[in-house]
Amino acid sequence: DTGKKVAIKLIENIFDEVDHARHVLRELYLMDELTQMTGNIFTTKLLDIILPITENDASNKFNDIFIVMEHVQQDLATLFTTNRPDNFSEDHVVCIMYNALCAINFLDSANVIHRDLKPDNIMINENPLTAKIIDFGTCKDLTVENGPHTSYVSTRWYRAPECVLRSHHYVFNSDIFAAGCVMAELYL
């Protein structure tokens, strides 16, 4: 017990569907890899994984897990809907977008395409104002997964044209397009 504030994400029924299990495994793998990278201030850090096995459960089977991550105050979507000032100042937009684009650059340097960048997946600390990327379940690690990509990725409103057109060959530009959509929302 360090007294440090953390975020805990419960993922339920991870083995009910093969695709869901694959996304969970991908997220855990990438979070662990990114956490270990030197200089990573752009993604939330994986601190621990907790399996909810009780002492009375001799079978050691589990279907849910808890992911323990560093705490970040709120996601950008929540900021839009609950605490949003009338207008974000230019400095706020620049700072949030600078952090988001640095995160995309960091992922690019690690050969990772996020594929679902949206306000829900950008976490914000308000003092000092920083932004971090979360949710790596749909990411693609190009050092591990070669070949054509899934054409149906990301949230519709942030999907790059090449993904809308169902291309199986896209790169980091799709994350940049999504960041541009987020920036447009910051100005609206």
Side-chain angles (χ1 to χ4, degrees):
D1 180 23
T2 63
K4 186 177 180 181
K5 196 181 238 187
V6 296
I8 300 176
K9 177 180 181 178
L10 168 63
I11 303 178
E12 299 178 297
N13 305 315
I14 60 175
F15 299 114
D16 285 2
E17 296 178 24
V18 173
D19 282 344
H20 185 55
R22 188 175 321 150
H23 284 199
V24 171
L25 178 61
R26 182 182 293 144
E27 180 165 18
L28 293 173
Y29 167 77
L30 282 171
M31 283 187 75
D32 184 51
E33 291 292 312
L34 294 170
T35 296
Q36 294 178 38
M37 292 181 77
T38 305
N40 178 10
I41 59 170
F42 305 110
T43 64
T44 53
K45 307 268 190 302
L46 174 66
L47 302 176
D48 200 359
I49 299 169
I50 301 171
L51 306 177
I53 299 173
T54 63
E55 292 179 21
N56 299 332
D57 187 3
S59 67
N60 285 334
K61 293 181 182 176
F62 64 94
N63 203 32
D64 305 333
I65 62 170
F66 295 94
I67 301 175
V68 182
M69 303 170 282
E70 71 175 305
H71 179 263
V72 185
Q73 288 177 320
Q74 63 185 335
D75 62 77
L76 190 55
T78 301
L79 187 64
F80 281 159
T81 57
T82 59
N83 302 329
R84 184 177 182 160
D86 290 337
N87 291 311
F88 283 103
S89 74
E90 183 77 21
D91 290 342
H92 288 118
V93 174
V94 168
C95 185
I96 291 168
M97 289 313 302
Y98 175 78
N99 279 264
L101 291 170
C102 284
I104 292 169
N105 186 52
F106 177 76
L107 292 175
D108 181 14
S109 70
N111 286 316
V112 173
I113 304 173
H114 190 278
R115 303 196 306 178
D116 195 22
L117 195 63
K118 58 186 176 182
D120 298 275
N121 292 337
I122 300 173
M123 299 299 291
I124 302 292
N125 275 325
E126 291 187 42
N127 194 11
L129 183 60
T130 56
K132 293 183 178 234
I133 303 294
I134 62 165
D135 195 356
F136 301 99
T138 59
C139 286
K140 182 122 178 161
D141 182 349
L142 298 177
T143 62
V144 175
E145 303 174 71
N146 295 325
H149 308 321
T150 305
S151 62
Y152 188 77
V153 293
S154 74
T155 303
R156 176 179 300 141
W157 311 118
Y158 305 93
R159 199 174 295 161
E162 57 269 28
C163 296
V164 169
L165 296 173
R166 315 272 295 171
S167 171
H168 294 281
H169 303 283
Y170 51 86
V171 290
F172 305 100
N173 299 352
S174 60
D175 288 343
I176 297 295
F177 182 87
C181 294
V182 170
M183 185 176 73
E185 278 191 85
L186 287 168
Y187 280 112
L188 294 177

